[in-house]
Amino acid sequence: MQDHSREAFPPDAQKTLRRFSMRESAEFIRVNQNTFRHYITTMADRIPVGELDKSNRRYFSASEFHEIQRVLFEEGKIRPEHYPRRRAGEKCQVVTCFNLKGGVSKTSTATHLAEILALRGYRVLAIDLDAQSSMTNMFGITPELAPDMLSAYDVIRYTDPLPCRDAIRKTYFPNIDLLPGSMDVIEFEYETALSFRTPDSSKPFHGRLADAIDQVQQDYDVVIFDTPPQMSFAVIAALFASTGVLIPLNASMLDAMSLASFLGLASELMGVVEQHAPDHSFDFIKFLITRYEATDQPQVQMAGFLRTVLGTAVMSTEFVKSTAIGDAANTKQPVFEIEPRDVNKKTYDRVIEAIGRITDELEAEFMKSWGRS
């Protein structure tokens, strides 16, 4: 497997991001497509105009349409409340994607949300706390092929922790930085257990990630944690650092039963942590139904049951199950990185629409926290 990985994804290979059509670019920066085309024509001396392909279609890099977005905002063509950058006094949004159960698309959810938020103009820090490092791999970094790579563990370790900024890596994806994951994060669990036996003056385990984010929070609008399927000390630290929690789950009875146990355990553990910080609270806790198939009647029934029990805490849009996501993951690519023409158009559009609507709901929580309409 390692030989195959080296051949398919050489250590010195660099992932690149495709260019986006005029329609896609306009949608990401929330401008009507015809209006966007008008700006390209009338403001060509002030904004990037993209590149024309052989079919005379215009395509833009993410950096180019982000620059267009910035110029339009400065010239008053994008309303301040719709500009995806937090202003003075607005706190950084820190979201933990979490569930005790494996196979519920935590990594897929966290990675796709990070990418679409970045494409819409938010500055995103993705933090991988899973020893399997799936999110790190999705961004083109293979920890086992880079043994000297700094990771999240180096920021929260008990002996000589590094400044967070030293371990953060730029990615090929504009607006996304990454704090990679690695197997070393398991060491944090052992170190924390030992810290209870030999207490010292170092920072308690639950505050170590919050402190790390505080060091760099002015550089980002959103921080997204991808977590392992377990209630570890690192996960508790992520929850303590978070302003919101996103819980992906499958619409099945077994998952619902597992969720009940998970919520009870999480409540007890967070209760212990909050004894040390009684003012800590979440702006939102949302449940996201994942791997959803609208033609699967038992899933439809269970989704209805979850919405009856949990009410508006369940997001109104489901993360649909799709071959486009699975096929893209085989090449370490979220769907935003694949060429739409390489997959079935209806399949691609269905996935992109679902991710967009999920992100709309998440953004509404951000705006509520920031006091915007």
Side-chain angles (χ1 to χ4, degrees), residues 7 36 55 61 68 72 121 244-245 248 250 257 272 276 299 330 356:
E7 182 178 345
F36 186 71
S55 303
S61 69
I68 295 172
L72 294 179
V245 180
N250 296 338
M257 293 170 64
V272 173
H276 301 276
Q299 279 197 47
N330 288 337

Side-chain angles (χ1 to χ4, degrees), residues 147-201:
D148 297 327
M149 180 191 72
L150 298 177
S151 69
Y153 166 72
D154 297 290
V155 172
I156 59 176
R157 67 192 187 198
Y158 284 77
T159 304
D160 299 324
L162 295 178
C164 189
R165 191 168 275 106
D166 290 356
I168 290 174
R169 297 173 64 120
K170 293 289 182 184
T171 71
Y172 61 93
F173 207 106
N175 281 351
I176 296 184
D177 290 346
L178 175 70
L179 186 53
S182 72
M183 291 293 290
D184 292 341
V185 75
I186 296 174
E187 294 294 325
F188 179 70
E189 305 302 311
Y190 296 129
E191 292 173 5
T192 300
L194 288 174
S195 73
F196 297 137
R197 299 178 59 184
T198 56
D200 55 29
S201 58

